[in-house]
Amino acid sequence: MSEIEGARLFREAWIAGVHQRFPGEPKVGYVTPWDGTPQWEREAAGAVYEQVRQFVEVSGGRASRLSREQRGRFVPICWTAQIFKHFDDPKPGYVADWADLPDWRQETDADIFDAIEKALD
C-alpha cells in the first residue's frame, strides 16, 4: 500500500470512528472527506499510517497481542508529533496526553491502529 493509500485508510478509519463514537454532531472538520482535507493533515495521516505500519512490521506481527489501550495509545503519540511538526504553537487540546483524551477519541485511535494492522494482513 502506498503512503497516499495508507493516509486515506487512516482518514477513513478516523471518520468511521467519529461517526460511530462521537457524542452528538461532530465538527465538520472531523468528518471532512479526503478531497477536502488540508494538505498538512493528509501528510500527517500518511506519516502516522507509516509509523503504525512499521511498528506492526518490526513487532513481527505480534502487535495484535498488545491490549486495545496499548494499540490505541500509539496513534495519538504519533499524531501529536505531527501536530508539533506542522504547528509552532498548537492548542493544548491538539496535543493532549492519552489520559486527557475523551473516550470517543481513545476508542477511535484504537480503531485506527486496528484498521491499519488489518490492512497489512
Side-chain angles (χ1 to χ4, degrees):
M1 179 176 298
S2 72
E3 189 171 320
I4 292 172
E5 291 169 327
R8 289 181 76 116
L9 172 71
F10 177 98
R11 182 69 183 170
E12 290 166 8
W14 165 261
I15 291 170
V18 170
H19 281 306
Q20 179 182 359
R21 301 177 184 287
F22 189 85
E25 189 67 29
K27 297 176 185 178
V28 173
Y30 285 176
V31 294
T32 299
W34 179 257
D35 291 337
T37 302
Q39 185 61 34
W40 77 264
E41 200 166 348
R42 290 178 184 200
E43 292 172 10
V48 176
Y49 164 81
E50 188 60 25
Q51 288 176 292
V52 173
R53 186 197 64 75
Q54 289 177 16
F55 182 77
V56 170
E57 197 171 274
V58 300
S59 76
R62 299 288 196 249
S64 61
R65 296 179 72 183
L66 297 169
S67 71
R68 180 168 171 82
E69 181 179 328
Q70 289 170 324
R71 293 188 315 273
R73 282 179 179 265
F74 189 73
V75 173
I77 288 170
C78 297
W79 186 259
T80 297
Q82 290 299 306
I83 294 294
F84 283 128
K85 176 182 177 182
H86 291 279
F87 297 98
D88 290 332
D89 190 23
K91 294 178 183 178
Y94 291 173
V95 294
D97 191 40
W98 173 263
D100 299 323
L101 296 175
D103 290 344
W104 72 266
R105 172 73 192 279
Q106 292 178 352
E107 292 297 323
T108 298
D109 287 336
D111 291 345
I112 290 168
F113 189 103
D114 291 348
I116 293 170
E117 185 175 40
K118 183 178 179 183
L120 299 173
D121 288 341

